Amino acid sequence: MRRKIHRAPIAVASALLLGVVATACSTEDPSDGDTGSDTSSETSESPEASESSEEGGEQEWFDQAVYDEQYEQRSATFEGDPETPWLQYIDGEMTDTADYKTNKAGKACFANASIGNPWRQTGWITMNQQLKELQDKGVISEMETRDAQDDDNTQIADIDYFISEGNCDAFIISPNSTAAMTDAVERACETGKPVIVFDRGVNTDCATTFIHPIGGFAWGIDTAEFLVDNLEEGDKVVALRILPGVDVLEQRWAAAEKIFEENGIEAVDFFTGADPTEIKTFITDELNKGEVQGVWMDAGDGAVAAIEAFEDFGADLPVMTGEDEMSFLRKWEETGLTGLAPVYSNFQWRTPLLALEKIWAGEEVPKEWVLPQVPITEEERGDFLAANEGMPDGHYAKFGGEDLVGYPEVWQERQIP
């Protein structure tokens, strides 16, 4: 479009993506997913411009091998039926689960980081509807869940409780943070029962399977390349970040920062805590300094507030990346701005339970189960708006629960179990 983007040569890593790479919201941030991400593992300090070279910047979080791998995985061929993307995966090492085969319904124990943001709430609803179907099939007898409410120590205690007192037949863990949860996950592995980690990762590969979309670098690449393709060298981008220290979010920004620097885009980043007032303040302050041509977000929370700041100022709307959260999709269509909705596939919340079904059937599962992660373009936006008509703001267009019991009412009513 404007000019050919400068892309660094891809030194493709032969090593597979390490389990340290985690997921969102998805957020949504807190998508942001998660991760739209998910962003709930830490509490932000007072929002301010980040010192990216010291806290959460490219120097600390950028990993060239992982960046290269995720760059290529964006165009990888996924095994399985595209109509059920929550079961697709990139071909790789498989885990033999023959020793786990059973004809009895088992108890699943789920240590969840939180349901403290719309991305996680949407996934939690979908997960519970999937659970009902597997209970009806006689696969899962019950799922006991403990919500850590975004606290590492609470989740460690939750996992240890499940190990010692939960009478669990399998463990499902969505880690609150990567390093802090590693030892607890390893203790769960030592029980000899299946362990499924999803959303964010940990610093061990002991789990039976680690489930996640492609990753934060892929998000950062998709979004930054879109902005560069639609901007001119020297244009200014305001990057609105949710929280520091969450790996998938930091990786999103590390990738984007790299691409902006390589292509002469001026980018200034702020931590906002997804606070609409803070977002509007940061945007307005930057507009008072001069023109802003682009907005980059590491999660969709607050996207509408960012657009409204331009409207209130009377400035031309920016080229912008948000997320597949419904309020952004609707505002994008209403305004006609040039946009992209990156996705941190919310349908991944179905996959751990379906993986458990396979494990207890003695079927192989991917050791690292990498799910598709495909942004929504302007050409596709209308289709996703139509498919999700009646869904509330805070719902995610690629939630993947259309075939589950209770659709669409359960998601429309936003009934959080």
Side-chain angles (χ1 to χ4, degrees), residues 102 104-112 124 127-128 130-132 134-135 138-146 158 161-163 165-173 193-196 198 351-357 359-360:
T102 179
K104 297 180 180 179
K107 177 183 178 181
C109 294
F110 177 30
N112 189 14
W124 178 230
M127 188 181 201
N128 276 274
Q130 180 66 76
L131 174 63
K132 290 178 181 179
L134 292 176
Q135 287 178 310
V139 174
I140 297 176
S141 58
E142 63 175 307
M143 183 171 75
E144 182 177 350
T145 299
R146 292 206 158 195
D158 291 344
Y161 160 79
F162 281 143
I163 292 170
E165 302 178 51
N167 296 315
C168 309
D169 296 305
F171 303 94
I172 299 172
I173 301 169
K193 298 173 182 178
V195 175
I196 298 168
F198 85 100
T351 312
L353 297 181
L354 293 168
L356 190 54
E357 180 180 29
I359 290 166
W360 281 340

Side-chain angles (χ1 to χ4, degrees), residues 5-42:
I5 187 171
H6 173 82
R7 296 180 172 91
I10 300 300
V12 180
S14 58
L16 294 175
L17 180 61
L18 299 177
V20 64
V21 178
T23 72
C25 180
S26 187
T27 210
E28 170 185 30
D29 327 288
S31 305
D32 275 137
D34 142 233
T35 308
S37 29
D38 179 18
T39 63
S40 55
S41 73
E42 296 194 14

Side-chain angles (χ1 to χ4, degrees), residues 30 34 38-42 113-114 116-117 120 150 176 200 243 246:
D34 142 233
D38 179 18
T39 63
S40 55
S41 73
E42 296 194 14
S114 81
N117 63 70
R120 302 192 73 84
D150 307 324
N176 188 58
R200 306 171 184 141
L243 299 174
V246 179

